[in-house]
Amino acid sequence: MVKARANILIERRAEQVFGFVADDFVENYARWSPEVRQIEALTPGPIGVGSLLRQVRVDQGRRSDNRFTVTAFESPARLEFAESTDLFRTGYWLAPEGNQTRLEFGFELRRLELYMRPFEKLIRLAIQEGAERVVRNIKTLAERELATGSTEPGN
C-alpha cells in the first residue's frame, strides 16, 4: 500500500472551498489535476454519498480508466472516494481556521501489481509530489476565483 498526504492553508472560508472542491467536483477536478483527460458523473443530480463517477487519466504516459464512488460527503468538512475495484481511495478534508481553510488531500494506492513492486520508491515519490501539486493547484484556483467574502451569512 502506498499513501500520500499534503495540506495547505487557503485564504477562503471552508464553505467556499468545499463548494469549489465538492459541489463543483465534476466541473473543476480536471483543472487542479491536469492528468485527468475526462471526468463524468454516471449518476444523475448533484454528487453525494453513493454517486458513481468515471475518469480517464494519463499519468506519466500511462492511460487509465476508472470508476469510483463517493463514500463520504459532509459539507463543509470532507469528500472521499473509493475506486470500484478498491485499487485506490482518495479524500479531501477541510478545517476552518478563521476565514481561512486548511485543506488536506490524501491518496492511497491499495495494491501494487507484482511488476510495479521494484519501482515502489519511485511510485511513492510520484504520488507524494502529485498530492502536493493537487493542494497547491486548488489553493491557486480557489484564491483567484472565489471572492473574498465577509463572515456575515449570505456573503
Side-chain angles (χ1 to χ4, degrees):
M1 185 178 318
V2 178
K3 295 181 182 182
R5 289 216 176 213
N7 74 77
I8 202 162
L9 189 62
I10 300 176
E11 302 286 330
R12 297 293 180 265
R13 293 186 331 270
E15 296 79 12
Q16 291 177 290
V17 177
F18 188 84
F20 184 80
V21 171
D23 296 331
D24 298 332
F25 184 81
V26 173
E27 294 79 17
N28 290 329
Y29 177 44
R31 297 176 62 214
W32 69 70
S33 189
E35 301 83 7
V36 175
R37 299 295 190 253
Q38 182 182 354
I39 178 75
E40 63 181 316
L42 300 176
T43 12
I47 70 167
V49 173
S51 292
L52 182 64
L53 297 102
R54 176 181 169 260
Q55 71 174 351
V56 176
R57 298 177 58 100
V58 177
D59 292 283
Q60 308 208 358
R62 185 172 169 273
R63 184 182 188 277
S64 61
D65 188 331
N66 304 96
R67 292 172 187 250
F68 53 98
T69 303
V70 177
T71 57
F73 190 97
E74 297 174 13
S75 181
R78 72 183 183 137
L79 173 65
E80 297 174 8
F81 302 97
E83 194 267 344
S84 61
T85 66
D86 205 30
L87 175 62
F88 64 82
R89 294 184 185 180
T90 188
Y92 302 83
W93 301 276
L94 296 85
E97 292 186 14
N99 285 334
Q100 301 173 332
T101 303
R102 175 71 54 189
L103 171 68
E104 183 173 4
F105 171 74
F107 181 87
E108 183 178 294
L109 184 60
R110 308 277 296 159
R111 63 185 180 276
L112 281 177
E113 301 296 330
L114 187 58
Y115 74 91
M116 296 172 73
R117 290 190 182 152
F119 307 104
E120 184 173 347
K121 185 174 182 179
L122 292 173
I123 292 167
R124 283 183 192 284
L125 288 171
I127 289 174
Q128 184 61 44
E129 287 172 3
E132 291 167 7
R133 186 175 55 251
V134 162
V135 296
R136 281 193 314 269
N137 289 349
I138 292 172
K139 175 183 175 69
T140 298
L141 290 165
E143 289 180 355
R144 182 175 64 216
E145 296 178 16
L146 301 174
T148 305
S150 73
T151 57
E152 296 175 17
N155 291 331

